[in-house]
Amino acid sequence: MPIPTFHESSLSLLQSAVHQVLLRRGAVAAGSTSAAHPAMQAVVAAGAAYTQPGQAPSDIGPDIEVCAKLAVEYIFATGLKKQLLHDELTGSVCDPLWAEALVEYEWVQATGKKIPYLPYDPAIRPNPPMALPSDTLNIALLADWGMGTNLAVNVLAQAVTALSGGNTPGQQAAASALIHMGDIYYAGTPAECQQHFLDAVKSAVPAAFSRDFPVYAIPGNHEYYSGGFGYYGTVLPRLSGQTNSFFCLRTDQWQVVALDTGRNDHDPFTVVSNITLLTPDQVEWLDTVMLTAGGRGTILLTHHQLYSGAGPVGERKPIKYGINPHLYSQLKPYFGQIAVWLWGHEHNTVIFNPERGLPLGRCIGSGSIPMLVVQNPYEQDPNLVGWTG
């Protein structure tokens, strides 16, 4: 079954709250997405109707649909209207599940007000490049993978096996590390970061988070939808020597530079964060890393795409950008040093050719929520424009 997600923080948080309540009640199995449960289907339908008026009505059932509609209206309401909706939802014939979900939602909202981002500081938090023991880069790369499903676990397990040549004698060694390039669903809460990332990684690779199999991760936009507390409080302390949400790994000939583009995309419906960009401290850190590369080739990793042919990377009406103008400007000085730039965000797998000085681009965002064939994932949008507008 398709797993709908929203590029909107409040709706992602509501999905997360409903999912956690269903898990606690035993209504869905651990390792599931709740996508098939009527409550989650109702939230998805109500959220789509709220954000995209004119959507066709669902056939989930009138009672649960009404309750989900009230819940969606509640998360966007303010003041007296919010209180009235809360009272109507919790004091009506709606299943107590919805009241429990509101409690979960409000708790995450309350704890996620201030993003605990850790900026680069050369004196306090220098975030130096980390050395990899081998000059052979056998690293499993995944993006948009943090769903915690059996499918996701199998994807990682197969990635490790594939790098080992299927354990065929004489083939290259198995993957020696993992880098996740962001998005733990639905909203990167502490519980989801534990269940959908840490536990799932260990399930696929029992040696993970040890010296034998280090794990690194950058956050995507979904981790920031809950304020980043799950990533910074639950994931980052378990990572292998990583001190910030961005990092550099080096061998004698290569460096892997992973940047945090999620920090400025915690709510893409706002004008400022619609087209994401690097924080100023990351630009300063990146300049130091690239200046000290010492002739190494650079493999660049971000969650967000530099460009896309299928849909806009952001909009400033009436312009629909096919290339992110901020990331382009911030990273253009280093294009000559970048061998390949890999990203996720779009749930697709795409190989791009070099274009107008842009490095080789690769989208690998189909880690656990791939696009369906009926969605025409490779259909190009003719209305996209370049960075100049």
Side-chain angles (χ1 to χ4, degrees):
M1 169 170 287
I3 307 169
T5 59
F6 292 101
H7 280 199
E8 203 288 323
S9 58
S10 296
L11 288 171
S12 295
L13 281 174
L14 182 59
Q15 283 185 291
S16 174
V18 170
H19 178 61
Q20 291 302 316
V21 171
L22 292 173
L23 282 174
R24 284 200 297 266
R25 289 177 162 217
V28 296
S32 80
T33 64
S34 303
H37 194 279
M40 185 63 77
Q41 292 178 342
V43 167
V44 170
Y50 189 92
T51 57
Q52 303 172 47
Q55 292 280 307
S58 69
D59 57 357
I60 299 167
D63 293 339
I64 195 168
E65 208 169 78
V66 166
C67 296
K69 182 175 182 292
L70 288 173
V72 168
E73 290 179 357
Y74 167 81
I75 65 176
F76 289 107
T78 58
L80 179 59
K81 183 178 180 181
K82 193 178 191 76
Q83 184 61 51
L84 291 172
L85 286 167
H86 181 279
D87 294 344
E88 186 174 359
L89 189 59
T90 58
S92 67
V93 296
C94 289
D95 189 302
L97 172 150
W98 297 102
E100 194 175 341
L102 290 192
V103 171
E104 180 86 17
Y105 173 86
E106 291 296 345
W107 179 84
V108 174
Q109 281 282 76
T111 57
K113 292 296 184 184
K114 181 175 174 56
I115 294 174
Y117 176 75
L118 299 172
Y120 164 68
D121 186 316
I124 300 173
R125 196 178 295 105
N127 193 14
M130 296 176 281
L132 288 175
S134 171
D135 200 48
T136 302
L137 289 175
N138 286 327
I139 300 176
L141 298 176
L142 293 172
D144 303 81
W145 176 81
M147 203 72 222
T149 59
N150 292 331
L151 171 64
V153 171
N154 289 336
V155 166
L156 174 54
Q158 290 182 28
V160 173
T161 302
L163 281 174
S164 69
N167 295 322
T168 302
Q171 296 295 318
Q172 61 183 353
S176 56
L178 165 67
I179 299 176
H180 184 231
M181 294 157 52
D183 270 5
I184 299 173
Y185 301 97
Y186 290 97
T189 64
E192 289 172 334
C193 284
Q194 181 66 50
Q195 299 160 4
H196 297 175
F197 184 72
L198 298 179
D199 293 348
V201 170
K202 287 289 286 185
S203 179
V205 186
F209 305 103
S210 70
R211 293 180 62 182
D212 295 330
F213 197 92
V215 177
Y216 311 92
I218 53 176
N221 45 302
H222 279 261
E223 285 88 333
Y224 282 110
Y225 284 172
S226 58
F229 279 78
Y231 174 82
Y232 287 100
T234 304
V235 174
L236 190 58
R238 291 287 304 278
L239 302 179
S240 306
Q242 188 178 328
T243 59
N244 294 65
S245 55
F246 48 96
F247 61 88
C248 174
L249 303 174
R250 280 180 176 170
T251 68
D252 290 341
Q253 298 181 18
W254 290 95
Q255 65 177 8
V256 178
V257 177
L259 301 172
D260 178 0
T261 58
R263 173 62 185 86
N264 285 322
D265 187 19
H266 59 278
D267 189 345
F269 276 91
T270 64
V271 174
V272 173
S273 61
N274 189 294
I275 306 176
T276 195
L277 70 163
L278 299 177
T279 55
D281 64 287
Q282 282 192 81
V283 175
E284 180 184 356
W285 174 84
L286 178 62
D287 190 51
T288 300
V289 167
M290 300 304 282
L291 285 174
T292 60
R296 293 177 177 86
T298 298
I299 299 170
L300 184 66
L301 310 178
T302 58
H303 175 72
H304 289 80
Q305 67 272 61
L306 172 62
Y307 48 81
S308 173
V313 301
E315 297 184 32
R316 294 283 167 81
K317 293 182 178 180
I319 300 173
K320 297 170 64 178
Y321 286 95
I323 300 174
N324 183 314
H326 302 317
L327 293 180
Y328 181 88
S329 297
Q330 290 176 320
L331 289 154
K332 183 181 179 181
Y334 312 112
F335 281 176
Q337 294 175 261
I338 297 172
V340 62
W341 184 342
L342 297 103
W343 57 73
H345 197 53
E346 289 183 312
H347 298 170
N348 206 355
T349 302
V350 187
I351 298 175
F352 295 94
N353 293 320
E355 181 182 353
R356 288 180 290 175
L358 303 177
L360 288 172
R362 300 288 186 269
C363 176
I364 59 169
S366 55
S368 66
I369 312 178
M371 295 181 70
L372 302 178
V373 174
V374 296
Q375 295 176 287
N376 297 319
Y378 298 109
E379 183 179 3
Q380 295 190 8
D381 186 341
N383 298 314
L384 301 179
V385 300
W387 73 276
T388 59

